[in-house]
């Protein structure tokens, strides 16, 4: 089982359905026992063998001898005045990660993390200042959804998680295999059964992995953090651009097999005096002309770790109007949960404004992103 380290039993929560069935067989049990147990963990959010009431005690004991059920611990829930909730989890080895539940009318979007910290080093992002500690395994990625569902069931039983965005801590495509496995787990009908059309993976632009993603059978919506309209600015605010520049990124996206009526979303963090001039809007509109896309403008969400400012409301509006005037479909993303440090780019394990985990003193040298 690739999800386990050699010295421990596999985590049922990190296995795909096929793997759970194979595990049952390897324990001398029929395949369907693997499926039953998998449904309990991934469909019903079970956290112990005892809950699996349709499996006899003897079979449960055999399963328990060959596998474990990992869970994240919900360490804290912070509540925004706008209804957003920030969930902080601890992993089995003691690391903190965050996930955000964002209600929007009948919809509820969960923003999940894919790594403990991040290696990409975008200059405006608080998570970048944590550096990368490790990848989350597929079960840890999926379990954020199971724990959030349990919280909603207890607090707001009429609400369901309708949409999922991989926009929390980490660069999803840097943890490609585990993210893909989590997508297979979360879209399975025997689990929570989320439609891939309601899942969005956001990337800072790891070009070779984008190409790989285009060839997968499970293909979520795609969001790309563009954030600049030329390489000079993008090199400065997103060092990943020095490896894969805008030209390479757009070329990969042009050949990405988008399904009928789907568009790529470009995120554009608006930073005062850096990328918010009308000339930048014009350059952006020109760059994306003819692209099946839309642009989400995200006015910079403040945090103490970066030397930027959010543009004034007038400057934000002028930028958006210029994009629209030039024919670029543009939407303004209202900050959600910014009073609890839960908005885009603010996730850094803060509670009441205090950092719970110290930031790295010096920026870590980012591992080579391949
Ligand atoms: N690493 C992935 C997933 C994170 S998504 C990616 O880069 O796409 C987080 C989004 O928030 C990205 O679009 C990023 O550009 C944006 N962002 C980061 N810091 C921000 C900040 N302080 N204010 C507003 N948006 C920010």
């Amino acid at each position: 089982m690739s999800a386990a380290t050699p010295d421990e039993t596999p985590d049922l929560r990190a296995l795909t359905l096929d793997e759970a069935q194979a595990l049952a067989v390897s324990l001398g049990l029929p395949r369907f026992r693997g499926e039953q147990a998998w449904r309990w963990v991934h469909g019903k959010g079970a956290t112990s063998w005892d809950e699996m009431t349709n499996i006899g005690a003897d079979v449960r004991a055999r399963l328990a001898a060959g596998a474990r059920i990992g869970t994240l611990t919900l360490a804290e829930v912070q509540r925004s005045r706008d209804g957003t909730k920030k969930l902080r989890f601890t992993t089995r080895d003691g690391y903190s990660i965050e996930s955000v539940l964002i209600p929007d009318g009948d919809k509820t979007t969960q923003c999940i993390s894919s790594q403990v910290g991040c290696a990409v080093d975008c200059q405006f992002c608080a998570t970048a200042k944590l550096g990368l500690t490790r990848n989350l395994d597929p079960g840890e990625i999926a379990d954020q959804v199971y724990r959030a569902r349990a919280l909603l069931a207890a607090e707001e039983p009429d609400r369901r998680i309708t949409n999922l965005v991989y926009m929390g801590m980490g660069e999803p495509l840097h943890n490609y295999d585990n993210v893909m496995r989590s997508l297979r787990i979360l879209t399975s009908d025997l689990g929570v059964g989320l439609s891939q059309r309601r899942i969005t993976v956001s990337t800072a632009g790891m070009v070779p992995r984008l190409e790989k993603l285009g060839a997968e059978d499970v293909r979520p919506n795609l969001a790309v953090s563009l954030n600049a309209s030329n390489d000079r600015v993008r090199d400065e605010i997103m060092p990943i651009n020095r490896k894969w520049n805008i030209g390479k990124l757009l070329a990969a996206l042009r050949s990405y097999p988008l399904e009928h009526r789907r568009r790529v979303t470009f995120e554009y963090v608006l930073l005062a005096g850096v990328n918010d001039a009308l000339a930048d809007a014009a350059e952006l509109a020109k760059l994306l002309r003819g692209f099946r896309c839309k642009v989400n403008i995200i006015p910079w969400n403040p945090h103490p770790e970066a030397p930027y400012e959010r543009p004034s409301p007038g400057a934000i509006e002028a930028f958006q109007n210029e994009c629209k005037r030039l024919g670029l479909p543009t939407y303004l993303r209202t900050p959600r949960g910014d009073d609890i440090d839960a908005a885009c780019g603010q996730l850094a394990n803060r509670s009441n404004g205090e950092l719970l985990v110290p930031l790295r003193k010096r920026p870590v040298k980012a591992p080579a992103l391949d």
Side-chain angles (χ1 to χ4, degrees):
M1 290 296 145
S2 56
T5 52
D7 60 343
E8 64 182 21
T9 50
D11 178 0
L12 180 56
R13 185 191 54 161
L15 303 184
T16 61
L17 178 59
D18 290 351
E19 290 168 337
Q21 289 166 330
L23 174 74
V25 172
S26 76
L27 297 172
L29 295 165
R31 280 176 74 78
F32 81 92
R33 293 298 189 189
E35 177 180 319
Q36 278 182 318
W38 195 92
R39 281 178 178 237
W40 274 103
V41 168
H42 295 276
K44 302 199 177 95
T47 55
S48 71
W49 300 103
D50 294 344
E51 289 165 66
M52 303 183 185
T53 46
N54 61 348
I55 306 179
D58 51 334
V59 176
R60 288 205 307 257
R62 283 171 70 180
L63 285 166
R68 65 188 178 88
I69 303 172
T71 50
L72 293 168
T73 305
L74 180 57
E76 187 183 10
V77 182
Q78 294 173 64
R79 295 159 206 281
S80 163
R81 65 176 104 81
D82 71 19
T84 299
K85 295 176 190 176
K86 184 168 79 169
L87 284 55
R88 185 167 52 80
F89 297 106
T90 33
T91 61
R92 195 158 83 118
D93 51 356
Y95 295 113
S96 287
I97 56 160
E98 294 178 326
S99 201
V100 185
L101 275 173
I102 310 155
D104 181 14
D106 290 343
K107 271 179 34 180
T108 301
T109 299
Q110 184 177 6
C111 176
I112 57 173
S113 293
S114 55
Q115 297 180 309
V116 181
C118 188
V120 179
D121 206 23
C122 301
Q123 299 298 294
F124 43 80
C125 178
T127 308
K129 310 299 173 191
L130 299 171
L132 177 66
T133 301
R134 69 163 173 82
N135 284 330
L136 293 179
D137 73 34
E140 291 169 325
I141 299 172
D143 203 29
Q144 295 170 64
V145 179
Y146 309 156
R147 294 309 114 224
R149 280 176 112 205
L151 179 76
L152 276 187
E155 295 190 348
E156 299 178 77
D158 294 336
R159 239 177 220 293
R160 299 267 175 284
I161 295 165
T162 55
N163 296 66
L164 202 61
V165 295
Y166 284 66
M167 296 186 185
M169 295 173 159
E171 163 54 41
L173 299 191
H174 194 203
N175 185 15
Y176 188 91
D177 290 343
N178 291 346
V179 163
M180 276 317 303
R181 286 157 60 99
S182 73
L183 286 167
R184 289 183 207 294
I185 289 171
L186 290 165
T187 52
S188 165
D189 286 342
L190 303 184
V192 290
L194 281 163
S195 154
Q196 54 180 329
R197 296 185 160 267
R198 292 183 177 273
I199 303 180
T200 301
V201 169
S202 181
T203 177
M206 294 189 69
V207 166
R209 303 275 170 95
L210 268 175
E211 287 159 353
K212 203 169 163 194
L213 183 65
E216 299 281 357
D217 53 342
V218 179
R219 246 180 304 122
N221 298 310
L222 194 59
V224 176
S225 300
L226 184 60
N227 297 334
S229 54
N230 61 61
D231 285 327
R232 184 183 51 76
V233 175
R234 199 165 191 267
D235 275 352
E236 184 194 315
I237 62 177
M238 297 182 71
I240 194 174
N241 196 65
R242 297 177 207 153
K243 193 161 178 102
W244 298 294
N245 65 17
I246 294 180
K248 289 183 184 156
L249 180 58
L250 294 189
L253 291 171
R254 277 204 181 84
S255 45
Y256 189 85
L258 273 182
E259 267 155 53
H260 188 54
R261 290 157 68 103
R262 292 228 245 177
R263 298 186 284 181
V264 171
T265 300
F266 287 106
E267 289 137 312
Y268 192 99
V269 183
L270 212 54
L271 305 166
V274 176
N275 63 1
D276 66 337
L278 293 187
D280 296 314
E283 195 175 36
L284 184 66
K286 192 168 165 211
L287 187 68
L288 300 180
R289 189 158 296 148
F291 223 102
R292 268 168 62 195
C293 69
K294 62 175 174 158
V295 174
N296 276 349
I297 297 176
I298 320 176
W300 187 66
N301 293 308
H303 57 88
E305 282 76 43
Y308 296 105
E309 278 177 35
R310 181 186 291 189
S312 68
I316 296 169
E317 197 185 335
F319 185 91
Q320 184 179 18
N321 286 343
E322 183 68 354
C323 291
K324 282 187 173 163
R325 191 179 71 77
L326 296 168
L328 187 63
T330 317
Y331 302 86
L332 189 61
R333 206 185 277 171
T334 322
R336 298 294 305 270
D338 51 345
D339 55 333
I340 53 165
D341 301 302
C344 297
Q346 290 185 322
L347 299 183
N349 301 315
R350 271 199 161 80
S351 176
N352 295 316
E354 296 297 321
L355 287 168
L356 297 176
V357 181
L359 300 176
R360 307 265 170 134
K361 296 229 168 39
R362 281 174 291 112
V364 276
K365 188 163 173 350
L369 300 167
D370 56 341

